[in-house]
Amino acid sequence: MFSLHGTAIGGGIVIGRARVLESRRFDVARYHVQPERQPGEVARLEAALRDVKGELGTLAEHLPDDAPHEARALLEVHAMILDDPLLVDAARSQILDHGWNAEWALASQADALAHQFEELDDIYLRERGRDVQQVADRVLKSLSGSGGWPLARGEPAIFVAADIAPGDMLALKSALGFAIDLGGTTSHTAILARSMNVPAVVGLACGSELIRDDEWIILDGDNGVLIVAPDEAILAEYRNRQAAMRLEREKLKRLIHVPATTLDGVSIQLHANIELPEEAEQAREAGAAGVGLFRSEFLFMGRRDLPSEDEQFEAYRLALKGMGGAPVTIRTLDIGADKALDPSVAPTAANPALGQRAIRYCLAEPEMFLVQLRAILRASGCGPVRLLIPMLAHSHEIDQTLRLIEQARAQVQARGQPFDPAMPVGGMIEVPAAALSVNLFVRRLDFLSIGTNDLIQYTLAIDRTDHTVAALYDPFHPAVLRLISMTIRAGRRAGKPVAVCGELAGDPMATRLLLGMGLSEFSMHPASLLLVKREILLSDVGQLSHKVSRLLNTDDPVRVQAGLARLRLDPHRPA
Ligand code: PEP
Ligand code: MG
């Protein structure tokens, strides 16, 4: 028995046999082809490309009605890569100009393209390099005559692989779970596993080399743990946990329609974070009273052009429709600049997290920003929309953004299109400078939303994507807690709503702490809504605020931890 640790993608615990999938870079044959045989070699490559395109098309056609909505989009992205001249034309030229065989030409071009993505600042875009590799792998398999989808033979199993393409995941209908060596929380594997509601752990480094086919494994998607060849005692323990979790989930469902009100009558807003417009409906079904964070950058990713104003408008309108009249907070583009659009021309920043991200990029590209602002304004004519500006640090960023919103309003008005002239405009507090000068921000904006993911990263100088410093990423560091508390207090003083929309809002271990700080709006992944609601229903804000203000008075992390433990001493006893 041994265990492996990776990145938790969620989905609970599953126990089953391993199916280890052969993926990625079996040896690519490299040889030269005589000039007279080169056209034939190009034809061989084109036939393989056609085969794979056909496979993807067939898979898309046969997607069941209940397939996750991301599935079709991911298959389309892969089909687009098959047409991408940077991959295909370049491979063709390698065959004709250098006499390389089809496999060599394609693999080297895919590696070069994937490398360009890997250089990018933005973690989401870096992951897109893997899509290129996955598509190339499938073509290489077809060239070698071993194409087709991996077979889910026999009983349902936990699939273990170095990497897995979305098409493969969808073909593995009997998957109990996925254990994947590569990827992070934002990889397609992760996104798809979450929406398939299948337990998954990614970033296991070398799991696929250590695990043998047919071995029994326990996959704990919530804690990112994989136990290989467990003994009877461990198996029994995890079976109990599995049963308890099922029971718990069923019990929690009863809270969906219960108002999120504390024992002392404080009403709390529970909102959802979404990445794609289609997720709004699921969020509403899970009990969300609104969307607190729509990460609009997902509309811009995985493509070489920008979404048009109409396309964005439709996406925002779809989210509003999904929420059935409840408010939707659309965050403007939070992405690492135009490198997404043309990586070959945009220089890589030396220190990407501190570079031209989010609002900095949008203000540097006002025409692109105006397109998004007009689309958001037009959506506000269809339902309650709030606009949220990411990564503010300077007051002139607010001035410039408000001026651009004004300009966009005039343009939409001139066209006679409806919009809400009173659409609230808020800002994210996720840079320590913004939290420390929060009064400046709260005066100028209609609401604030605390992005704890970045606030922790920037306060503690910990790259949130670097696993080597992950242990130092401490949401409960006294400095972080003070910044959060200061922001909430400033909002309350000014009578402006303040939300938390980082991961901390969805952590039930932090619910009482945030309630005690005076927070009344939480926005999180829909899967956490009911767990947090249960904490709220058992909490008394009056009592918590005294305990939390004492806790905030100490700089000693040990005392902070003890204070936190006291807040939660008995999770089922009111506090
Ligand atoms: C945050 O930083 O907490 C946040 C919600 O934004 P993102 O995770 O998208 O950077
Ligand atoms: Mg952020």
Side-chain angles (χ1 to χ4, degrees):
M1 178 172 90
F2 63 94
S3 60
L4 298 169
H5 296 256
T7 304
I9 300 304
I13 295 170
V14 71
I15 301 170
R17 286 194 189 272
R19 279 282 164 273
V20 184
L21 299 176
E22 182 213 336
S23 54
R24 194 70 201 130
R25 290 308 139 92
F26 29 87
D27 279 339
V28 175
R30 283 156 204 259
Y31 52 89
H32 282 98
V33 177
Q34 295 303 317
E36 66 277 13
R37 297 187 55 195
Q38 287 167 5
E41 195 63 7
V42 169
R44 199 164 73 83
L45 174 66
E46 285 170 348
L49 291 165
R50 269 197 308 278
D51 282 354
V52 175
K53 201 154 188 194
E55 283 172 7
L56 290 171
T58 312
L59 199 59
E61 263 170 41
H62 293 97
L63 276 180
D65 291 344
D66 61 350
H69 46 263
E70 289 90 346
R72 200 171 300 278
L74 295 180
L75 292 174
E76 276 166 15
V77 168
H78 278 206
M80 271 161 57
I81 293 172
L82 282 169
D83 285 331
D84 191 332
L86 284 176
L87 180 68
V88 181
D89 291 356
R92 235 182 248 121
S93 315
Q94 307 280 33
I95 299 174
L96 297 173
D97 299 346
H98 303 293
W100 290 359
N101 64 315
E103 288 87 344
W104 184 4
L106 183 80
S108 68
Q109 197 50 35
D111 284 346
L113 259 183
H115 183 67
Q116 285 180 10
F117 275 105
E118 275 153 23
E119 299 274 284
L120 299 182
D121 307 346
D122 189 286
I123 180 171
Y124 299 122
L125 297 174
R126 281 205 299 269
E127 290 283 359
R128 304 296 75 88
R130 289 181 52 222
D131 290 311
V132 175
Q133 296 282 26
Q134 289 168 347
V135 170
D137 281 358
R138 182 142 290 283
V139 180
L140 290 173
K141 274 191 187 157
S142 175
L143 281 166
S144 74
S146 63
W149 304 105
L151 288 179
R153 28 174 228 279
E155 75 215 66
I158 298 171
F159 288 92
V160 179
D163 191 11
I164 188 163
D168 291 332
M169 286 180 79
L170 292 167
L172 296 169
K173 296 189 182 65
S174 59
L176 293 175
F178 292 101
I180 308 295
D181 293 353
L182 297 180
T185 47
T186 57
S187 62
H188 277 159
T189 313
I191 294 169
L192 207 48
R194 268 195 220 107
S195 55
M196 288 166 85
N197 216 358
V198 175
V201 178
V202 301
L204 281 163
C206 53
S208 65
E209 287 164 31
L210 300 173
I211 299 167
R212 288 194 305 267
D213 222 18
D214 262 354
E215 231 160 3
W216 278 99
I217 45 181
I218 299 171
L219 184 137
D220 180 348
D222 293 341
N223 292 301
V225 177
L226 197 71
I227 302 173
V228 185
D231 60 28
E232 268 313 311
I234 294 287
L235 264 178
E237 161 70 18
Y238 271 88
R239 285 205 174 105
N240 283 342
R241 282 196 205 180
Q242 229 182 351
M245 278 169 69
R246 266 191 220 120
L247 202 69
E248 172 109 346
R249 262 202 296 273
E250 282 311 308
K251 278 198 333 213
L252 275 176
K253 277 192 194 154
R254 292 190 222 140
L255 300 182
I256 290 185
H257 301 295
V258 175
T261 307
T262 63
L263 291 171
D264 51 343
V266 181
S267 174
I268 305 295
Q269 296 287 311
L270 289 184
H271 289 174
N273 293 353
I274 63 168
E275 269 102 48
L276 295 168
E278 296 86 349
E279 289 167 7
E281 196 175 340
Q282 295 162 3
R284 182 163 54 105
E285 283 163 8
V291 168
L293 172 65
F294 178 173
R295 291 183 161 102
S296 71
E297 52 273 17
F298 276 74
L299 301 172
F300 292 69
M301 282 159 31
R303 54 194 291 167
R304 289 184 186 277
D305 57 350
L306 288 166
S308 68
E309 182 183 321
D310 283 347
E311 188 182 340
Q312 290 188 55
F313 168 61
E314 283 307 326
Y316 305 145
R317 199 164 63 151
L318 189 62
L320 279 164
K321 191 163 160 242
M323 282 317 291
V328 174
T329 309
I330 304 172
R331 181 174 71 183
T332 58
L333 186 62
D334 180 9
I335 211 164
D338 52 345
K339 296 150 207 152
L341 313 175
D342 190 357
S344 56
V345 291
T348 302
N351 206 341
L354 307 181
Q356 205 183 56
R357 239 194 97 174
I359 192 61
R360 301 174 184 178
Y361 169 62
C362 289
L363 293 176
E365 297 289 339
E367 284 309 314
M368 185 270 331
F369 196 24
L370 277 168
V371 171
Q372 181 171 43
L373 295 175
R374 286 195 299 266
I376 297 175
L377 275 165
R378 282 171 59 193
S380 74
C382 308
V385 166
R386 307 197 303 173
L387 182 145
L388 179 61
I389 313 164
M391 227 190 142
L392 287 168
H394 302 274
S395 75
H396 57 77
E397 289 164 341
I398 306 181
D399 296 337
Q400 287 179 64
T401 306
L402 293 179
R403 268 201 301 275
L404 284 168
I405 294 174
E406 207 40 64
Q407 206 176 321
R409 261 194 210 118
Q411 291 167 341
V412 171
Q413 194 161 27
R415 293 183 197 152
Q417 289 163 325
F419 67 95
D420 172 10
M423 176 183 71
V425 175
M428 288 198 66
I429 303 296
E430 50 185 347
V431 176
L436 289 166
S437 50
V438 64
N439 289 329
L440 179 73
F441 291 81
V442 86
R443 269 203 301 274
R444 326 272 298 278
L445 295 162
D446 299 314
F447 68 97
L448 302 178
S449 190
I450 307 173
T452 48
N453 306 341
D454 278 313
L455 188 61
I456 299 163
Q457 150 162 283
Y458 294 127
T459 306
L460 303 181
I462 300 295
D463 180 346
R464 65 192 252 202
T465 67
D466 183 346
H467 71 273
T468 61
V469 285
L472 298 172
Y473 186 90
D474 178 10
F476 301 110
H477 189 292
V480 173
L481 298 186
R482 281 195 196 153
L483 294 175
I484 297 174
S485 163
M486 279 169 61
T487 307
I488 297 171
R489 268 191 285 128
R492 285 169 71 93
R493 272 199 306 273
K496 302 273 175 84
V498 179
V500 169
C501 67
E503 292 300 304
L504 199 62
D507 179 358
M509 305 288 279
T511 307
R512 288 183 175 180
L513 173 74
L514 294 171
L515 286 172
M517 289 181 183
L519 188 74
S520 58
E521 192 179 319
F522 294 62
S523 192
M524 65 197 78
H525 189 279
S528 308
L529 279 167
L530 298 180
L531 285 167
V532 170
K533 192 189 275 190
R534 187 176 58 190
E535 290 292 310
I536 289 169
L537 296 176
L538 290 167
S539 298
D540 180 314
V541 173
Q543 285 183 27
L544 284 170
S545 57
H546 295 299
K547 293 184 185 170
V548 170
S549 52
R550 275 203 300 278
L551 186 151
L552 290 171
N553 276 335
T554 175
D555 282 328
D556 179 354
V558 177
R559 290 176 63 185
V560 170
Q561 283 303 333
L564 282 170
R566 272 198 300 278
L567 289 184
R568 292 188 38 89
L569 255 189
D570 176 358
H572 298 291
R573 199 193 59 190

